Amino acid sequence: MRKPLIAGNWKMNMTPTEAKTFIANFINQNLDSDIEVAVIPPFVDLEIISREIKGTKIKLGAQNMCWEDNGAYTGEISPLMLKEIGVEYVIIGHSERRGYFKEDDTMLNLKMKACQKHGLKPILCVGETLEEREKGMTLDRIGYELTEDLKDITLKELVIAYEPIWAIGTGKNASPEDAQAVIEYIRKKADELLGIGEDIRILYGGSVKSDNIKGFMAREGIDGALVGGASLKVDEFTRIVNFKEV
Ligand code: 13P
């Protein structure tokens, strides 16, 4: 039985002061205990959030990490640093990292291996551009990303997020039917590559809000959501987590 995961990727938003205010309010919300909830803030907010969520069920994630343990990698953050402050999940290969920061699949495979080595749980992001979708190449692109990023990976706990690039921050979401079809393919491919397709949680991400979450969660095989903009407001993120009540 896969426990649904709803994770808020804050991206480059919230100063430590703002993060503290957010989390102080969020931990007082009555959250559905059947849903695993994670917040994924910028690096500088991690420590403060880690302290505030102690003793709650809220999980902590990081948005990126280096594949090396330490060394001359100016500007990078290592898995050891993340582990020490209580990080459990790490987003690997978000399309904004692949696009703006030129992270390629070879690099992402090294990051996946670093997660495996240090017992961090990756949330591996895959997804197609609008052009690829229109050319009917969605599954080719995702199949390629999975094959490359999961090379030599033997992880038993892994989350994959299907985030169509054209749906991120645009207000245009994939239909639940379309998301479900791609997610079904991802599960098949992950099973082929790792032999654990049924155990992998696969999330949908891309313009998820409190008024569309229910449609995604109702679909068999969609195990949760990676939420961007709508995770920045306590009320809205709480409504998303508590979608069964809406
Ligand atoms: P939005 O929810 O703002 O579209 O962002 C999705 C996303 O990229 C989450 O990682």
Side-chain angles (χ1 to χ4, degrees):
M1 188 60 187
R2 301 185 299 260
K3 185 169 186 172
L5 169 64
I6 296 186
N9 172 12
W10 292 5
K11 309 194 178 185
M12 197 177 70
N13 294 291
M14 303 244 224
T15 64
T17 308
E18 290 165 340
K20 194 172 179 189
T21 307
F22 177 100
I23 206 69
N25 184 353
F26 189 57
I27 57 178
N28 288 324
Q29 305 301 312
N30 206 356
L31 301 173
D32 184 337
S33 58
D34 293 338
I35 307 286
E36 187 177 348
V37 180
V39 289
I40 311 185
F43 289 127
V44 294
D45 300 340
L46 285 170
E47 199 171 359
I48 199 155
I49 297 202
S50 178
R51 239 180 282 136
E52 300 287 328
I53 61 176
K54 262 205 187 93
T56 74
K57 289 195 172 143
I58 299 166
K59 305 290 181 66
L60 186 60
Q63 297 175 14
N64 182 26
M65 98 186 167
C66 186
W67 59 89
E68 292 289 346
D69 292 0
N70 46 51
Y73 297 93
T74 302
E76 289 294 314
I77 300 287
S78 99
L80 297 175
M81 297 167 188
L82 297 179
K83 279 197 79 171
E84 190 172 315
I85 53 175
V87 167
E88 184 171 334
Y89 289 100
V90 184
I91 297 180
I92 302 291
H94 191 281
S95 63
E96 287 147 17
R97 302 284 332 156
R98 293 178 189 260
Y100 298 132
F101 304 102
K102 308 288 172 249
E103 293 193 7
D104 62 19
D105 292 293
T106 308
M107 194 188 282
L108 297 175
N109 180 241
L110 290 173
K111 293 185 183 207
M112 291 297 292
K113 287 177 178 156
C115 282
Q116 179 165 291
K117 175 176 168 193
H118 293 287
L120 288 158
K121 298 175 189 166
I123 301 178
L124 175 66
C125 297
V126 295
E128 80 287 3
T129 62
L130 188 56
E131 197 190 341
E132 286 163 337
R133 168 159 286 249
E134 282 168 351
K135 285 187 181 154
M137 288 168 57
T138 298
L139 302 186
D140 296 320
R141 155 103 189 226
I142 292 172
Y144 177 81
E145 289 179 325
L146 291 172
T147 306
E148 295 300 310
D149 302 347
L150 296 176
K151 224 174 238 167
D152 301 320
I153 294 299
T154 53
L155 278 165
K156 291 284 165 259
E157 193 165 355
L158 165 69
V159 179
I160 298 176
Y162 168 51
E163 298 209 314
I165 295 169
W166 50 271
I168 296 177
T170 57
K172 286 186 226 154
N173 53 272
S175 69
E177 297 89 310
D178 284 352
Q180 184 183 32
V182 176
I183 283 174
E184 232 166 69
Y185 168 79
I186 292 173
R187 196 175 304 286
K188 227 177 65 212
K189 189 82 191 167
D191 201 34
E192 199 182 298
L193 294 165
L194 306 174
I196 53 167
E198 281 313 307
D199 297 329
I200 291 178
R201 285 182 293 178
I202 308 180
L203 317 181
Y204 168 75
S207 298
V208 170
K209 299 194 172 53
S210 58
D211 60 11
N212 61 22
I213 180 78
K214 232 177 172 163
F216 291 104
M217 297 306 288
R219 295 269 159 177
E220 168 69 31
I222 302 185
D223 302 319
L226 187 55
V227 186
S231 71
L232 296 170
K233 294 266 183 313
V234 171
D235 290 355
E236 174 68 357
F237 192 47
T238 302
R239 274 196 292 273
I240 291 174
V241 172
N242 292 344
F243 68 90
K244 286 181 216 149
E245 290 172 8
V246 179

